[in-house]
Amino acid sequence: MVSSAQEGERECHIVVLTDDDIVDWDHDNPPPMGEEYSQILYSTKLYRFFKYIENRDVAKALLKERGLKNIRIGIEGYPTCKEKVKRRPGGKSEVIYNYVQRPFIQLSWEKEEGKSRHVDFQCVRSKSVPNLIASLGEPTQPAATLNPQVDELDRLISPDPQAPPPPTNDS
């Protein structure tokens, strides 16, 4: 967590591997999951602890009590070593990795809870006046007599039901 915070991150993803696990990735073809951003912790004792759901629940409650946010603790597949290399057309190769099921901890430490640091897109109802003619106090025409501007593409897509059908080429 400290190394993530020193790099300016506000969250971290820690994978708990056993002392015997060996991570051997191909430098040219790393796993496609973004695992290079995970912190790896080698500890068989922690692995045994987090293996049981009851212990994960206790750890989550303790981390929440300490003020950490968005806590996820579980077990996921983690790529350890390459199993085989497949050659693809065009000279490209695909590396198949061997995955082991290991515990992970994901959490963040935002100072202000409930304030997103990301852009939230949402629909906002317009506060503008919907009928400008009525707001000016001028007499209005019925909606049927208004002649809205129609795009040429609109005419092609949805023809007027009262218009005569287009001519056909019957020879």
Side-chain angles (χ1 to χ4, degrees):
M1 283 176 38
V2 172
S3 63
S4 293
Q6 287 173 342
E7 292 175 11
E9 299 290 330
R10 293 187 297 265
E11 62 183 14
C12 69
H13 185 223
I14 302 168
V15 177
V16 180
L17 299 177
T18 64
D19 294 326
D20 301 332
D21 285 336
I22 298 171
V23 176
D24 181 28
W25 292 351
D26 186 346
H27 294 289
D28 297 330
N29 298 301
M33 299 175 35
E35 296 295 345
E36 61 272 12
Y37 301 113
S38 297
Q39 307 273 338
I40 299 175
L41 186 64
Y42 291 97
S43 173
T44 302
K45 289 181 181 180
L46 272 178
Y47 163 75
R48 286 188 194 132
F49 176 81
F50 283 119
K51 194 164 79 169
Y52 301 102
I53 192 165
E54 296 85 3
N55 292 343
R56 293 195 300 263
D57 290 341
V58 169
K60 184 174 183 175
L62 180 69
L63 291 170
K64 194 176 280 191
E65 193 177 290
R66 300 269 169 108
L68 296 166
K69 315 271 189 295
N70 302 326
I71 303 163
R72 287 183 49 227
I73 301 176
I75 295 181
E76 66 183 359
Y78 189 79
T80 53
C81 59
K82 65 180 172 183
E83 200 167 285
K84 63 181 177 178
V85 179
K86 285 185 177 179
R87 299 284 175 208
R88 294 282 179 197
K92 216 171 185 188
S93 60
E94 178 185 357
V95 178
I96 308 290
Y97 282 92
N98 181 38
Y99 284 75
V100 292
Q101 296 295 311
R102 295 294 182 254
F104 74 93
I105 306 164
Q106 187 173 351
L107 47 89
S108 69
W109 48 87
E110 286 290 332
K111 277 187 172 181
E112 302 159 347
E113 189 174 0
K115 289 193 176 181
S116 174
R117 298 283 188 236
H118 304 284
V119 177
D120 292 330
F121 293 98
Q122 53 183 309
C123 294
V124 179
R125 192 166 288 228
S126 174
K127 294 181 180 178
S128 64
V129 178
N131 189 347
L132 291 175
I133 297 172
S135 69
L136 295 174
E138 296 178 10
T140 61
Q141 299 176 10
T145 61
L146 291 177
N147 194 3
Q149 187 177 14
V150 178
D151 190 16
E152 185 65 29
L153 185 60
D154 291 336
R155 278 192 228 141
L156 293 173
I157 293 173
S158 58
D160 185 10
Q162 297 172 347
T168 58
N169 291 337
D170 292 332
S171 302

Short mmCIF file of all heavy atoms in Angstrom, two decimals, residues 12-53:
data_model
loop_
_atom_site.label_atom_id
_atom_site.label_comp_id
_atom_site.label_asym_id
_atom_site.label_seq_id
_atom_site.Cartn_x
_atom_site.Cartn_y
_atom_site.Cartn_z
N CYS A 12 -4.94 0.13 -4.48
CA CYS A 12 -3.96 -0.90 -4.80
C CYS A 12 -4.65 -2.26 -4.92
O CYS A 12 -5.75 -2.47 -4.42
CB CYS A 12 -2.83 -0.95 -3.77
SG CYS A 12 -3.32 -1.56 -2.16
N HIS A 13 -3.97 -3.14 -5.61
CA HIS A 13 -4.44 -4.50 -5.82
C HIS A 13 -3.29 -5.41 -5.41
O HIS A 13 -2.23 -5.40 -6.05
CB HIS A 13 -4.82 -4.69 -7.29
CG HIS A 13 -5.43 -6.02 -7.57
ND1 HIS A 13 -5.10 -6.76 -8.67
CD2 HIS A 13 -6.35 -6.75 -6.91
CE1 HIS A 13 -5.79 -7.88 -8.68
NE2 HIS A 13 -6.55 -7.90 -7.62
N ILE A 14 -3.48 -6.17 -4.35
CA ILE A 14 -2.42 -7.02 -3.81
C ILE A 14 -2.82 -8.47 -4.03
O ILE A 14 -3.94 -8.88 -3.71
CB ILE A 14 -2.24 -6.77 -2.29
CG1 ILE A 14 -1.91 -5.30 -2.04
CG2 ILE A 14 -1.16 -7.68 -1.72
CD1 ILE A 14 -1.99 -4.90 -0.58
N VAL A 15 -1.90 -9.26 -4.59
CA VAL A 15 -2.12 -10.69 -4.78
C VAL A 15 -1.21 -11.42 -3.80
O VAL A 15 -0.02 -11.12 -3.71
CB VAL A 15 -1.80 -11.11 -6.23
CG1 VAL A 15 -1.97 -12.61 -6.40
CG2 VAL A 15 -2.69 -10.37 -7.21
N VAL A 16 -1.78 -12.37 -3.07
CA VAL A 16 -1.02 -13.14 -2.08
C VAL A 16 -0.66 -14.48 -2.69
O VAL A 16 -1.52 -15.33 -2.92
CB VAL A 16 -1.83 -13.34 -0.78
CG1 VAL A 16 -1.02 -14.13 0.23
CG2 VAL A 16 -2.27 -12.01 -0.20
N LEU A 17 0.64 -14.67 -2.95
CA LEU A 17 1.14 -15.94 -3.48
C LEU A 17 1.83 -16.72 -2.37
O LEU A 17 2.22 -16.15 -1.35
CB LEU A 17 2.13 -15.68 -4.63
CG LEU A 17 1.61 -14.93 -5.85
CD1 LEU A 17 2.73 -14.70 -6.85
CD2 LEU A 17 0.46 -15.67 -6.49
N THR A 18 2.00 -18.01 -2.57
CA THR A 18 2.72 -18.80 -1.57
C THR A 18 4.22 -18.57 -1.75
O THR A 18 4.66 -18.05 -2.78
CB THR A 18 2.42 -20.31 -1.73
OG1 THR A 18 2.91 -20.75 -2.99
CG2 THR A 18 0.93 -20.59 -1.64
N ASP A 19 4.99 -18.96 -0.76
CA ASP A 19 6.44 -18.80 -0.82
C ASP A 19 7.04 -19.61 -1.97
O ASP A 19 8.10 -19.26 -2.49
CB ASP A 19 7.09 -19.23 0.50
CG ASP A 19 6.70 -18.30 1.65
OD1 ASP A 19 6.52 -17.09 1.41
OD2 ASP A 19 6.55 -18.79 2.80
N ASP A 20 6.38 -20.68 -2.37
CA ASP A 20 6.89 -21.57 -3.41
C ASP A 20 6.48 -21.15 -4.82
O ASP A 20 7.01 -21.70 -5.80
CB ASP A 20 6.40 -23.01 -3.17
CG ASP A 20 6.85 -23.54 -1.81
OD1 ASP A 20 7.91 -23.09 -1.33
OD2 ASP A 20 6.14 -24.39 -1.25
N ASP A 21 5.52 -20.23 -4.96
CA ASP A 21 5.06 -19.81 -6.30
C ASP A 21 6.17 -19.07 -7.03
O ASP A 21 6.89 -18.26 -6.44
CB ASP A 21 3.83 -18.90 -6.19
CG ASP A 21 2.57 -19.66 -5.84
OD1 ASP A 21 2.49 -20.88 -6.12
OD2 ASP A 21 1.64 -19.04 -5.29
N ILE A 22 6.28 -19.36 -8.31
CA ILE A 22 7.27 -18.69 -9.16
C ILE A 22 6.52 -17.99 -10.28
O ILE A 22 5.71 -18.60 -10.98
CB ILE A 22 8.28 -19.70 -9.74
CG1 ILE A 22 9.04 -20.38 -8.60
CG2 ILE A 22 9.22 -19.03 -10.71
CD1 ILE A 22 9.91 -21.55 -9.05
N VAL A 23 6.80 -16.70 -10.45
CA VAL A 23 6.19 -15.93 -11.52
C VAL A 23 7.24 -15.75 -12.61
O VAL A 23 8.28 -15.14 -12.39
CB VAL A 23 5.69 -14.55 -11.00
CG1 VAL A 23 5.14 -13.73 -12.14
CG2 VAL A 23 4.64 -14.75 -9.92
N ASP A 24 6.96 -16.32 -13.78
CA ASP A 24 7.89 -16.26 -14.91
C ASP A 24 7.09 -15.86 -16.14
O ASP A 24 6.48 -16.69 -16.79
CB ASP A 24 8.57 -17.61 -15.12
CG ASP A 24 9.56 -17.58 -16.25
OD1 ASP A 24 10.13 -16.49 -16.52
OD2 ASP A 24 9.76 -18.63 -16.89
N TRP A 25 7.08 -14.57 -16.45
CA TRP A 25 6.33 -14.05 -17.59
C TRP A 25 7.25 -13.79 -18.76
O TRP A 25 8.42 -13.44 -18.58
CB TRP A 25 5.63 -12.75 -17.23
CG TRP A 25 4.53 -12.89 -16.24
CD1 TRP A 25 3.96 -14.03 -15.75
CD2 TRP A 25 3.84 -11.82 -15.59
NE1 TRP A 25 2.97 -13.75 -14.87
CE2 TRP A 25 2.87 -12.39 -14.74
CE3 TRP A 25 3.93 -10.44 -15.64
CZ2 TRP A 25 2.01 -11.63 -13.97
CZ3 TRP A 25 3.08 -9.68 -14.87
CH2 TRP A 25 2.12 -10.28 -14.04
N ASP A 26 6.72 -13.94 -19.94
CA ASP A 26 7.43 -13.60 -21.16
C ASP A 26 7.45 -12.08 -21.26
O ASP A 26 6.40 -11.43 -21.25
CB ASP A 26 6.71 -14.22 -22.36
CG ASP A 26 7.46 -14.04 -23.65
OD1 ASP A 26 8.40 -13.22 -23.69
OD2 ASP A 26 7.11 -14.70 -24.64
N HIS A 27 8.65 -11.49 -21.36
CA HIS A 27 8.76 -10.02 -21.40
C HIS A 27 8.12 -9.43 -22.65
O HIS A 27 7.59 -8.32 -22.61
CB HIS A 27 10.23 -9.59 -21.30
CG HIS A 27 10.84 -9.93 -19.98
ND1 HIS A 27 10.50 -9.28 -18.82
CD2 HIS A 27 11.76 -10.86 -19.64
CE1 HIS A 27 11.18 -9.80 -17.81
NE2 HIS A 27 11.95 -10.76 -18.27
N ASP A 28 8.16 -10.17 -23.75
CA ASP A 28 7.58 -9.66 -25.00
C ASP A 28 6.06 -9.81 -25.03
O ASP A 28 5.37 -9.05 -25.70
CB ASP A 28 8.18 -10.38 -26.20
CG ASP A 28 9.67 -10.13 -26.31
OD1 ASP A 28 10.12 -9.04 -25.89
OD2 ASP A 28 10.40 -11.03 -26.79
N ASN A 29 5.53 -10.81 -24.32
CA ASN A 29 4.09 -11.07 -24.31
C ASN A 29 3.60 -11.27 -22.88
O ASN A 29 3.34 -12.39 -22.45
CB ASN A 29 3.76 -12.32 -25.14
CG ASN A 29 4.14 -12.15 -26.58
OD1 ASN A 29 3.65 -11.26 -27.24
ND2 ASN A 29 5.03 -13.00 -27.07
N PRO A 30 3.44 -10.20 -22.10
CA PRO A 30 2.94 -10.36 -20.73
C PRO A 30 1.47 -10.76 -20.75
O PRO A 30 0.79 -10.64 -21.77
CB PRO A 30 3.13 -8.98 -20.12
CG PRO A 30 3.11 -8.06 -21.27
CD PRO A 30 3.69 -8.81 -22.43
N PRO A 31 0.93 -11.24 -19.63
CA PRO A 31 -0.49 -11.60 -19.57
C PRO A 31 -1.37 -10.40 -19.92
O PRO A 31 -1.04 -9.26 -19.56
CB PRO A 31 -0.71 -12.01 -18.12
CG PRO A 31 0.64 -12.34 -17.61
CD PRO A 31 1.60 -11.49 -18.36
N PRO A 32 -2.50 -10.62 -20.60
CA PRO A 32 -3.32 -9.52 -21.08
C PRO A 32 -4.27 -8.95 -20.06
O PRO A 32 -5.23 -8.28 -20.42
CB PRO A 32 -4.09 -10.17 -22.23
CG PRO A 32 -4.24 -11.59 -21.81
CD PRO A 32 -2.98 -11.91 -21.07
N MET A 33 -4.07 -9.18 -18.77
CA MET A 33 -5.05 -8.77 -17.77
C MET A 33 -4.70 -7.50 -17.02
O MET A 33 -5.42 -7.10 -16.14
CB MET A 33 -5.23 -9.89 -16.74
CG MET A 33 -5.73 -11.17 -17.33
SD MET A 33 -5.79 -12.51 -16.14
CE MET A 33 -6.24 -11.72 -14.65
N GLY A 34 -3.58 -6.89 -17.28
CA GLY A 34 -3.18 -5.74 -16.49
C GLY A 34 -2.58 -6.14 -15.16
O GLY A 34 -2.53 -5.35 -14.22
N GLU A 35 -2.13 -7.38 -15.05
CA GLU A 35 -1.57 -7.88 -13.79
C GLU A 35 -0.25 -7.21 -13.44
O GLU A 35 0.21 -7.30 -12.32
CB GLU A 35 -1.37 -9.40 -13.86
CG GLU A 35 -2.65 -10.18 -14.01
CD GLU A 35 -3.57 -10.06 -12.82
OE1 GLU A 35 -3.14 -9.61 -11.75
OE2 GLU A 35 -4.74 -10.41 -12.97
N GLU A 36 0.36 -6.52 -14.41
CA GLU A 36 1.64 -5.88 -14.12
C GLU A 36 1.49 -4.76 -13.10
O GLU A 36 2.46 -4.29 -12.52
CB GLU A 36 2.30 -5.36 -15.40
CG GLU A 36 1.50 -4.30 -16.14
CD GLU A 36 0.50 -4.88 -17.15
OE1 GLU A 36 0.26 -6.09 -17.15
OE2 GLU A 36 -0.05 -4.08 -17.93
N TYR A 37 0.24 -4.31 -12.85
CA TYR A 37 0.00 -3.25 -11.87
C TYR A 37 -0.28 -3.82 -10.47
O TYR A 37 -0.46 -3.07 -9.54
CB TYR A 37 -1.16 -2.36 -12.31
CG TYR A 37 -0.90 -1.73 -13.65
CD1 TYR A 37 -1.64 -2.07 -14.76
CD2 TYR A 37 0.13 -0.79 -13.80
CE1 TYR A 37 -1.39 -1.49 -15.99
CE2 TYR A 37 0.38 -0.22 -15.04
CZ TYR A 37 -0.38 -0.57 -16.13
OH TYR A 37 -0.12 -0.01 -17.35
N SER A 38 -0.36 -5.13 -10.35
CA SER A 38 -0.64 -5.76 -9.06
C SER A 38 0.62 -5.79 -8.20
O SER A 38 1.73 -5.96 -8.70
CB SER A 38 -1.13 -7.19 -9.24
OG SER A 38 -2.33 -7.22 -9.94
N GLN A 39 0.42 -5.63 -6.91
CA GLN A 39 1.51 -5.83 -5.95
C GLN A 39 1.49 -7.31 -5.59
O GLN A 39 0.44 -7.88 -5.36
CB GLN A 39 1.25 -5.01 -4.69
CG GLN A 39 0.98 -3.55 -4.93
CD GLN A 39 2.26 -2.75 -5.00
OE1 GLN A 39 3.28 -3.17 -4.50
NE2 GLN A 39 2.17 -1.59 -5.62
N ILE A 40 2.64 -7.93 -5.56
CA ILE A 40 2.71 -9.35 -5.22
C ILE A 40 3.31 -9.50 -3.84
O ILE A 40 4.34 -8.89 -3.52
CB ILE A 40 3.57 -10.13 -6.24
CG1 ILE A 40 2.96 -10.01 -7.63
CG2 ILE A 40 3.68 -11.59 -5.84
CD1 ILE A 40 3.81 -10.64 -8.72
N LEU A 41 2.65 -10.29 -3.02
CA LEU A 41 3.11 -10.55 -1.66
C LEU A 41 3.32 -12.06 -1.52
O LEU A 41 2.38 -12.83 -1.71
CB LEU A 41 2.05 -10.06 -0.66
CG LEU A 41 2.38 -10.09 0.80
CD1 LEU A 41 3.54 -9.15 1.11
CD2 LEU A 41 1.18 -9.67 1.60
N TYR A 42 4.56 -12.48 -1.27
CA TYR A 42 4.86 -13.90 -1.11
C TYR A 42 4.76 -14.26 0.36
O TYR A 42 5.61 -13.88 1.16
CB TYR A 42 6.26 -14.22 -1.63
CG TYR A 42 6.40 -14.11 -3.12
CD1 TYR A 42 6.90 -12.96 -3.71
CD2 TYR A 42 6.04 -15.17 -3.94
CE1 TYR A 42 7.02 -12.86 -5.08
CE2 TYR A 42 6.15 -15.08 -5.31
CZ TYR A 42 6.64 -13.93 -5.89
OH TYR A 42 6.77 -13.83 -7.24
N SER A 43 3.71 -14.99 0.74
CA SER A 43 3.55 -15.41 2.13
C SER A 43 2.58 -16.59 2.18
O SER A 43 1.38 -16.43 1.96
CB SER A 43 3.02 -14.27 2.98
OG SER A 43 2.71 -14.73 4.27
N THR A 44 3.11 -17.75 2.48
CA THR A 44 2.26 -18.94 2.59
C THR A 44 1.32 -18.81 3.79
O THR A 44 0.17 -19.25 3.72
CB THR A 44 3.14 -20.20 2.73
OG1 THR A 44 4.00 -20.27 1.58
CG2 THR A 44 2.31 -21.46 2.81
N LYS A 45 1.77 -18.15 4.85
CA LYS A 45 0.90 -17.97 6.03
C LYS A 45 -0.31 -17.10 5.69
O LYS A 45 -1.43 -17.42 6.07
CB LYS A 45 1.69 -17.34 7.18
CG LYS A 45 2.70 -18.27 7.80
CD LYS A 45 3.43 -17.59 8.93
CE LYS A 45 4.46 -18.53 9.53
NZ LYS A 45 5.18 -17.91 10.64
N LEU A 46 -0.08 -16.00 4.97
CA LEU A 46 -1.22 -15.15 4.56
C LEU A 46 -2.11 -15.88 3.56
O LEU A 46 -3.33 -15.73 3.59
CB LEU A 46 -0.72 -13.84 3.95
CG LEU A 46 -0.48 -12.70 4.92
CD1 LEU A 46 0.05 -11.49 4.17
CD2 LEU A 46 -1.73 -12.34 5.67
N TYR A 47 -1.51 -16.68 2.69
CA TYR A 47 -2.30 -17.46 1.74
C TYR A 47 -3.25 -18.38 2.48
O TYR A 47 -4.44 -18.46 2.16
CB TYR A 47 -1.38 -18.26 0.81
CG TYR A 47 -2.09 -19.37 0.09
CD1 TYR A 47 -2.93 -19.10 -0.99
CD2 TYR A 47 -1.95 -20.70 0.49
CE1 TYR A 47 -3.61 -20.11 -1.64
CE2 TYR A 47 -2.62 -21.72 -0.15
CZ TYR A 47 -3.45 -21.42 -1.21
OH TYR A 47 -4.12 -22.42 -1.86
N ARG A 48 -2.73 -19.09 3.49
CA ARG A 48 -3.58 -20.00 4.28
C ARG A 48 -4.66 -19.23 5.02
O ARG A 48 -5.79 -19.71 5.16
CB ARG A 48 -2.72 -20.78 5.28
CG ARG A 48 -1.91 -21.85 4.62
CD ARG A 48 -1.24 -22.72 5.67
NE ARG A 48 -0.20 -23.52 5.05
CZ ARG A 48 1.02 -23.65 5.53
NH1 ARG A 48 1.36 -23.06 6.64
NH2 ARG A 48 1.89 -24.40 4.91
N PHE A 49 -4.34 -18.04 5.51
CA PHE A 49 -5.32 -17.22 6.23
C PHE A 49 -6.46 -16.79 5.31
O PHE A 49 -7.63 -16.95 5.62
CB PHE A 49 -4.63 -16.00 6.85
CG PHE A 49 -5.58 -15.06 7.54
CD1 PHE A 49 -6.02 -15.32 8.83
CD2 PHE A 49 -6.05 -13.91 6.91
CE1 PHE A 49 -6.90 -14.46 9.47
CE2 PHE A 49 -6.92 -13.06 7.54
CZ PHE A 49 -7.36 -13.33 8.82
N PHE A 50 -6.10 -16.23 4.15
CA PHE A 50 -7.12 -15.70 3.23
C PHE A 50 -7.83 -16.78 2.43
O PHE A 50 -8.78 -16.49 1.70
CB PHE A 50 -6.49 -14.68 2.27
CG PHE A 50 -6.24 -13.35 2.91
CD1 PHE A 50 -4.96 -12.84 3.00
CD2 PHE A 50 -7.29 -12.58 3.40
CE1 PHE A 50 -4.72 -11.60 3.59
CE2 PHE A 50 -7.06 -11.35 3.99
CZ PHE A 50 -5.77 -10.87 4.09
N LYS A 51 -7.38 -18.04 2.57
CA LYS A 51 -8.03 -19.13 1.85
C LYS A 51 -9.46 -19.35 2.33
O LYS A 51 -10.32 -19.77 1.56
CB LYS A 51 -7.20 -20.40 2.04
CG LYS A 51 -7.53 -21.52 1.12
CD LYS A 51 -6.44 -22.57 1.11
CE LYS A 51 -6.52 -23.47 2.31
NZ LYS A 51 -5.64 -24.65 2.19
N TYR A 52 -9.76 -19.01 3.57
CA TYR A 52 -11.08 -19.25 4.15
C TYR A 52 -11.91 -17.97 4.16
O TYR A 52 -11.43 -16.91 4.55
CB TYR A 52 -10.93 -19.79 5.58
CG TYR A 52 -10.14 -21.08 5.60
CD1 TYR A 52 -8.80 -21.09 5.97
CD2 TYR A 52 -10.73 -22.28 5.20
CE1 TYR A 52 -8.07 -22.26 5.97
CE2 TYR A 52 -10.01 -23.46 5.20
CZ TYR A 52 -8.69 -23.44 5.57
OH TYR A 52 -7.96 -24.60 5.56
N ILE A 53 -13.16 -18.09 3.75
CA ILE A 53 -14.04 -16.93 3.62
C ILE A 53 -14.28 -16.23 4.96
O ILE A 53 -14.40 -15.00 5.00
CB ILE A 53 -15.36 -17.30 2.93
CG1 ILE A 53 -16.12 -16.04 2.54
CG2 ILE A 53 -16.19 -18.23 3.80
CD1 ILE A 53 -17.24 -16.26 1.57
#
